[in-house]
Amino acid sequence: MSYFSKMTTTTNDPNRRNVVIMGRRSWDCIPSKFKPLPNRINFVLSRSNLNLSEYPDTFVFNSLQKAIDVLHSEAFKDLFEQVWIIGGASLYEEALNSSNFYKLYLTKIHKVFDCDTFIPDLTKNLKEIDEPNVPKEVQEENGVNFSYHVYIK
Ligand SMILES: NC(=O)c1ccc[n+]([C@@H]2O[C@H](COP(=O)([O-])OP(=O)(O)OC[C@H]3O[C@@H](n4cnc5c(N)ncnc54)[C@H](OP(=O)(O)O)[C@@H]3O)[C@@H](O)[C@H]2O)c1
């Protein structure tokens, strides 16, 4: 989580913030006290009539394209630096197939867990690259190993 927070929050320009785009279920899974994700502009995608006006810096769109259109608008274009798609499953796939796709940041957890949400292998047609600010060595927390990977098309 700290790697996720650092990567999605850090900007070169202190006057800009990053945008995180997520599906409605991913938003629902964030504990209340962490909503909206701090120091980031939160975009939530939903096809229903979701109202998140009680949350600051949080916007709802009914398609990924609508969200991208708003990012290109005069009102928004100078406010943000990076745009991070942070799940869930269908959104990862949609973003990967989008012409706006830039890089995939993947954390592999070296252990098998029971899960209820699955994604296909997103890395199939991608090439792994080295990125200076991403540690290459295997990480460990509470006895669980994991490693960071970065891919481009
Ligand atoms: N490990 C990870 O990287 C990661 C990241 C994120 C989430 N998660 C986990 O994954 C689970 C949630 O993922 P999920 O795949 O089930 O759901 P999700 O993608 O987060 O949310 C699905 C919902 O998002 C909305 N949505 C998605 N794509 C849309 C689009 N293109 N246009 C408009 N609305 C769109 C729809 O909302 P409506 O139903 O409201 O119309 C859809 O039902 C949670 O358990 C979460 O903790 C893991």
Side-chain angles (χ1 to χ4, degrees), residues 23-26 29 45-48 62-63 86 88-89 92 94:
R24 192 260 313 155
R25 276 190 235 144
S26 296
C29 287
L45 300 190
S46 173
R47 295 183 185 91
S48 65
N62 60 15
S63 73
I86 60 166
Y92 281 139
E94 190 178 349

Side-chain angles (χ1 to χ4, degrees), residues 70-109:
V70 165
L71 291 171
H72 285 125
S73 70
E74 282 301 315
F76 250 94
K77 68 181 178 48
D78 296 326
L79 293 179
F80 69 92
E81 194 165 288
Q82 300 173 334
V83 180
W84 291 82
I85 302 284
I86 60 166
S90 62
L91 205 49
Y92 281 139
E93 275 199 277
E94 190 178 349
L96 198 70
N97 292 319
S98 155
S99 58
N100 294 288
F101 171 80
Y102 179 43
K103 283 181 184 168
L104 170 69
Y105 289 79
L106 187 74
T107 302
K108 290 184 183 170
I109 301 174

Side-chain angles (χ1 to χ4, degrees), residues 31 54 56 66 150 153:
E54 71 194 272
K66 289 238 176 78
V150 185
K153 255 194 184 146

Side-chain angles (χ1 to χ4, degrees), residues 11-64:
T11 56
N12 292 319
D13 181 344
N15 296 317
R16 292 181 184 232
R17 284 176 301 161
N18 293 329
V19 174
V20 286
I21 305 182
M22 71 199 91
R24 192 260 313 155
R25 276 190 235 144
S26 296
W27 168 265
D28 287 345
C29 287
I30 301 171
S32 309
K33 61 180 175 182
F34 297 123
K35 284 203 264 202
L37 292 178
N39 305 316
R40 285 152 283 186
I41 303 167
N42 287 231
F43 278 17
V44 181
L45 300 190
S46 173
R47 295 183 185 91
S48 65
N49 239 347
L50 186 65
N51 182 347
L52 299 179
S53 55
E54 71 194 272
Y55 294 95
D57 302 323
T58 304
F59 304 87
V60 180
F61 299 95
N62 60 15
S63 73
L64 181 58

